[in-house]
Amino acid sequence: MMASVQEMAVPPDAMTGSTTGLPPGRFGLADVLAEHRRGRPRSPAVVDGGTRLTYAQLDARVGRLAAALAGRGVGRGDRILWLGQNSFRVLEVLLAAARLGAVVCPANWRQSADELAFVLQDLEPAVVLWQELELGELVREVRARDAARAHWLQHDGDGADSYEALVAGGPEQAKYVAGTGQDPVLGLYTVAADGRSHAALLSHAGLIAQGMVISHTHEVTDASVCLDSAPFFHVASFMLAIATLVRGGLNVVTRRADGVAMCEAIDRERCTHALIFPPTLETMRDVARGGHYDLSTLWSTPDLSDRPTTMLTPLSAPWARRPGGYGQTEVGGLVTFNALGPPGEGGFGRPSPVTALRIVDEHDEEVATGDVGEISIRGLTVMTGYHRRPELNALRARGGWHHTGDLGRRHADGTLTFVGPKTRMIKSGAENVYPTEVESCVAGHPAVAAVCVIGVPDPRWTQTVRAVVVPSGAVTEEELIEYCRGRIASYKKPRSVVFTDALPRTPRGDVDRDAVDTRFDGGGYPGAG
């Protein structure tokens, strides 16, 4: 049974002002939408296939959804799990949660049933919104492990237990919970150096502040049309989507990163912004070669070769002229930008105007200019903490600064160089893979005596995952890859396995990862070295 909350019923057209009884300083994502309803009611807000909603229509649906969720007991601090691919409904749920003081968590649908079951147990959502298409079998396996018995509603169905039935049944009067901009509203699971997943909680103020920064660096305006094709479980997807929402532009959603669907959407809606990862771009190049789609609003060249970055913006935008920066999920995405100021000594730019950055030593004292230390951040976009991780939160937020776990150096001109994670990380496409997590999975096989997981440079994926294994019995490469397939997300499983009699070790007895890299072709790790 979910705890009851104090709620205030507010007329849909009177969210702010003295008649509501809300604190004057309160401002969140729901207020952004309400103002767009008043200021640009007829402007297009979202497009998803055959669904087209103006800001007035979006606000009306969000109001009914919020009221319906409140009727099911969802209130301040409760969690809503999105177990599906991209949909305009993700934005609706986020905005409805903003009215209720709840938190939305879009899960990584590419994960295994075991990994998603962990998310379900860890998050204890009040409501799970799930998808049948492509994911039905996986969802049913996860749902069978739901000990807390959340409300499960199918977002792509039309029955009594469907999302649309919930929206249709919502009363006209929306419910709001008084809160502050520092309340969390979005949770994104990210894997830390210990190999465990943790839900980083991002606040209203953080998302809005980041949206305003991105609107400058990426030239997002109310005329912008953003293609939301990258999965919403990535913080980078929300960076552009929220910036577009904050500025009153149009978000165009595709269910997944499908080259044909994306080309169709760009041609039809005249998209101006997008986040497209290199493997998908290669597919789009193949699709675009036929000349059937006009993609000129995103690319000035027909072979799609004029953009050096995965975040596509108008050529006049500061980001297009000087792309790149440093960030992580815990700080709302990018926290430094090359687009902020002229080029400098460091290749990762300067901090955004809503954050501060220090480079500190093991005692949390700021190091001298040019010295390497841990990057620590303070500011509006920094997460409110990890969900239910008090010890980790105390460690990461000590001294009032978020300690990123990444190494960097600050140059005399103020720019940053990102050196790399304090704990080694593999970059596979858009995903971060921590060797310790994969090693834990591989080591569970009874025929594995020891294992070291490394990243191997790859021209398409940046790196691929390789397991270097000392066997204790008969086992093949194919067997170990298949063993991992059902236990961890597909992108984490080894792409290759090599066998050896022993792993090189340091004088202390630890595995010498540098020596393993040298011997088994590892390298290409994130950072500047």
Side-chain angles (χ1 to χ4, degrees):
M1 180 70 68
M2 287 169 290
S4 62
V5 294
Q6 294 290 329
E7 297 180 289
M8 289 178 281
V10 187
D13 60 349
M15 185 170 174
T16 58
S18 60
T19 60
T20 66
L22 295 177
R26 175 190 181 275
F27 190 83
L29 285 176
D31 299 272
V32 172
L33 177 60
E35 184 52 44
H36 287 334
R37 183 200 67 237
R38 291 188 289 263
R40 44 174 58 86
R42 298 176 184 175
S43 296
V46 292
V47 170
D48 185 347
T51 300
R52 307 183 72 89
L53 299 173
T54 65
Y55 273 102
Q57 292 168 330
L58 176 62
D59 182 76
R61 281 178 57 89
V62 167
R64 292 197 300 273
L65 175 60
L69 288 171
R72 289 179 174 255
V74 179
R76 188 171 187 178
D78 288 321
R79 280 80 57 200
I80 301 170
L81 177 63
W82 179 269
L83 192 47
Q85 296 167 326
N86 282 10
S87 169
F88 74 99
R89 298 182 180 103
V90 175
L91 298 177
E92 286 188 339
V93 176
L94 178 68
L95 291 164
R99 297 189 180 205
L100 301 174
V103 175
V104 173
C105 177
N108 184 341
W109 52 267
R110 297 174 60 193
Q111 294 184 110
S112 69
D114 287 345
E115 291 170 313
L116 289 172
F118 166 80
V119 169
L120 185 67
Q121 179 184 20
D122 184 59
L123 198 67
E124 287 190 348
V127 173
V128 179
L129 301 169
W130 65 279
Q131 177 178 313
E132 174 65 38
L133 183 63
E134 289 193 38
L135 305 181
E137 183 178 349
L138 174 67
V139 170
R140 279 182 281 278
E141 184 177 349
V142 175
R143 185 173 183 177
R145 308 187 199 184
D146 181 15
R149 302 299 177 196
H151 294 291
W152 289 71
L153 300 168
Q154 184 182 346
H155 95 82
D156 60 346
D158 55 9
D161 288 331
S162 70
Y163 179 98
E164 288 302 325
L166 182 71
V167 174
E172 293 184 2
Q173 191 177 50
K175 292 179 180 290
Y176 297 85
V177 172
T180 72
Q182 294 304 315
D183 289 336
V185 67
L186 176 65
L188 296 173
Y189 272 87
T190 179
V191 178
D194 60 3
R196 293 185 62 206
S197 291
H198 311 286
L201 303 177
L202 304 178
S203 70
H204 293 255
L207 293 178
I208 294 170
Q210 183 71 299
M212 294 306 298
V213 173
I214 295 296
S215 71
H216 166 70
T217 58
H218 292 62
E219 206 172 76
V220 178
T221 72
D222 58 356
S224 297
V225 181
C226 179
L227 178 65
D228 301 326
S229 57
F232 275 135
F233 56 75
H234 269 299
V235 69
S237 298
F238 276 104
M239 285 170 56
L240 279 175
I242 296 297
T244 304
L245 171 68
V246 168
R247 292 305 305 269
L250 171 61
N251 276 293
V252 178
V253 184
T254 62
R255 182 169 57 83
R256 60 183 304 168
D258 175 86
V260 173
M262 292 165 67
C263 286
E264 289 176 347
I266 296 166
D267 184 9
R268 182 180 65 250
E269 305 298 337
R270 315 309 298 144
C271 297
T272 59
H273 295 72
L275 170 66
I276 303 175
F277 296 115
T280 305
L281 178 57
E282 290 184 20
T283 302
M284 293 181 69
R285 284 196 178 102
D286 293 337
V287 172
R289 284 193 184 100
H292 303 300
Y293 301 103
D294 179 4
L295 309 182
S296 60
T297 52
L298 268 180
W299 282 281
S300 61
T301 55
D303 62 354
L304 315 187
S305 62
D306 67 330
R307 301 303 177 92
T309 171
T310 59
M311 298 186 76
L312 305 178
T313 66
L315 291 174
S316 57
W319 176 269
R321 299 193 300 271
R322 294 185 298 277
Y326 163 79
Q328 58 179 205
T329 301
E330 290 88 341
V331 295
L334 288 170
V335 71
T336 69
F337 297 81
N338 282 326
L340 296 175
E345 298 175 55
F348 293 82
R350 296 171 172 84
S352 86
V354 297
T355 60
L357 182 150
R358 297 194 312 164
I359 307 296
V360 300
D361 60 19
E362 64 272 18
H363 304 295
D364 295 338
E365 297 292 336
E366 194 161 5
V367 302
T369 299
D371 286 352
V372 173
E374 184 175 12
I375 301 170
S376 58
I377 307 292
R378 186 165 66 189
L380 294 180
T381 63
V382 175
M383 67 174 180
T384 64
Y386 295 111
H387 174 64
R388 291 181 175 171
R389 301 288 190 274
E391 294 181 358
L392 182 59
N393 287 336
L395 176 66
R396 297 294 289 271
R398 62 189 185 274
W401 291 78
H402 168 68
H403 295 259
T404 63
D406 290 330
L407 299 175
R409 66 169 64 90
R410 195 79 176 262
H411 297 273
D413 64 355
T415 55
L416 175 75
T417 288
F418 167 54
V419 174
K422 292 175 70 175
T423 300
R424 186 164 294 185
M425 182 184 76
I426 298 167
K427 192 72 173 179
S428 179
E431 306 287 358
N432 298 335
V433 180
Y434 285 89
T436 52
E437 183 182 16
V438 185
E439 288 164 358
S440 177
C441 179
V442 175
H445 193 283
V448 173
V451 57
C452 179
V453 169
I454 62 175
V456 177
D458 183 89
R460 181 179 185 186
W461 298 100
T462 306
Q463 290 177 294
T464 59
V465 180
R466 172 170 292 171
V468 181
V469 171
V470 178
S472 60
V475 66
T476 66
E477 177 182 37
E478 292 75 16
E479 286 177 302
L480 284 178
I481 293 175
E482 187 61 30
Y483 175 82
C484 294
R485 189 188 307 276
R487 290 167 172 80
I488 55 177
S490 180
Y491 65 85
K492 300 176 187 176
K493 72 179 187 303
R495 185 74 63 89
S496 61
V497 178
V498 295
F499 297 97
T500 184
D501 293 334
L503 295 172
R505 296 191 178 269
T506 67
R508 293 175 49 187
D510 300 323
V511 173
D512 189 335
R513 293 184 179 274
D514 291 335
V516 176
D517 278 333
T518 300
R519 183 174 170 187
F520 296 101
D521 302 320
Y525 297 97

